[in-house]
Amino acid sequence: FIEGQLLRYVPEIKDWVLIRDNSPFGLNDALYSGDSSKAEFIFPNNLLARIDATTQIQLIAMSEDASEMDLASGIARFYNRNPNGVLKVTTPFGYVLAQPNSIFDLYVGDQSAQIIDLNGQVEYVEQSDNSSYELTPGGASIIADANQVSNGEGDLDAGWDNWNNERESMPARRIEEERTSE
């Protein structure tokens, strides 16, 4: 699903090209969402990722028991619905490990990253010394830069959260619309 513009980097021509809804997203593909754009990706191993505007994401590896993505910049929400697989998401500052049945938001800026655990077991691993920090759903967030890791407020971006909740309720709304149209 694409709302607005989504670009895919094509190494052969060393340029970004516009893609449309239902375009494939495979290993090593790098995607970038334009201003005021959002996108949703559904993977065959029960992973789901959503990105906000001006976000760059890349799929590094995908299997039944472990998958890896890279979030170079921007905002994303990750759903690890794989009952047997771990999701690893790298950032310029470290990486996030999400166990089965977990959901988390990841905000990556020029100077730092913030991780908010929404559900399940999520931990952040610092790049410089591999220190691990467990998060708590609904608790404090983790804010990390190149030099330190600290606790944040854990506040969700309201507009981003509302958009995700809207996407979550779409299947139920479609069923209700079909029932009322009969």
Side-chain angles (χ1 to χ4, degrees):
F1 172 80
I2 301 168
E3 186 177 292
Q5 290 190 332
L6 186 66
L7 303 171
R8 181 176 147 226
Y9 186 74
V10 180
E12 296 80 22
I13 63 172
K14 295 182 169 91
D15 202 2
W16 295 88
V17 297
L18 189 64
I19 64 171
R20 307 214 181 273
D21 274 349
N22 298 317
S23 295
F25 177 36
L27 291 178
N28 299 314
D29 280 347
L31 301 177
Y32 181 80
S33 55
D35 294 341
S36 303
S37 299
K38 291 175 176 41
E40 176 180 84
F41 312 100
I42 301 169
F43 300 95
N45 63 350
N46 289 320
L47 294 178
L48 184 135
R50 294 188 181 124
I51 62 172
D52 201 4
T54 62
T55 297
Q56 184 176 330
I57 190 170
Q58 183 175 17
L59 179 61
I60 307 297
M62 185 173 55
S63 69
E64 281 301 312
D65 60 348
S67 297
E68 183 176 349
M69 295 185 203
D70 179 73
L71 190 68
S73 61
I75 301 172
R77 179 166 291 177
F78 295 94
Y79 297 77
N80 183 4
R81 295 178 173 156
N82 183 340
N84 304 310
V86 174
L87 171 62
K88 177 181 180 181
V89 181
T90 59
T91 76
F93 311 101
Y95 61 91
V96 179
L97 288 176
Q99 298 301 318
N101 303 310
S102 58
I103 304 169
F104 66 96
D105 276 359
L106 182 54
Y107 301 78
V108 178
D110 293 337
Q111 303 297 316
S112 65
Q114 180 174 11
I115 306 94
I116 300 175
D117 185 355
L118 303 172
N119 187 66
Q121 187 180 350
V122 176
E123 69 180 292
Y124 174 75
V125 179
E126 186 179 17
Q127 182 175 317
S128 64
D129 66 1
N130 288 327
S131 295
S132 177
Y133 302 85
E134 287 191 33
L135 288 103
T136 304
S141 60
I142 294 286
I143 299 174
D145 63 23
N147 303 311
Q148 64 182 357
V149 176
S150 60
N151 286 333
E153 296 294 319
D155 294 331
L156 295 169
D157 176 280
W160 172 243
D161 194 44
N162 288 339
W163 185 79
N164 278 281
N165 290 334
E166 224 174 80
R167 294 291 305 158
E168 284 295 309
S169 67
M170 286 186 89
R173 282 199 316 246
R174 284 189 194 125
I175 291 169
E176 184 61 30
E177 287 172 4
E178 288 174 9
R179 264 194 235 143
T180 58
S181 68
E182 293 177 352

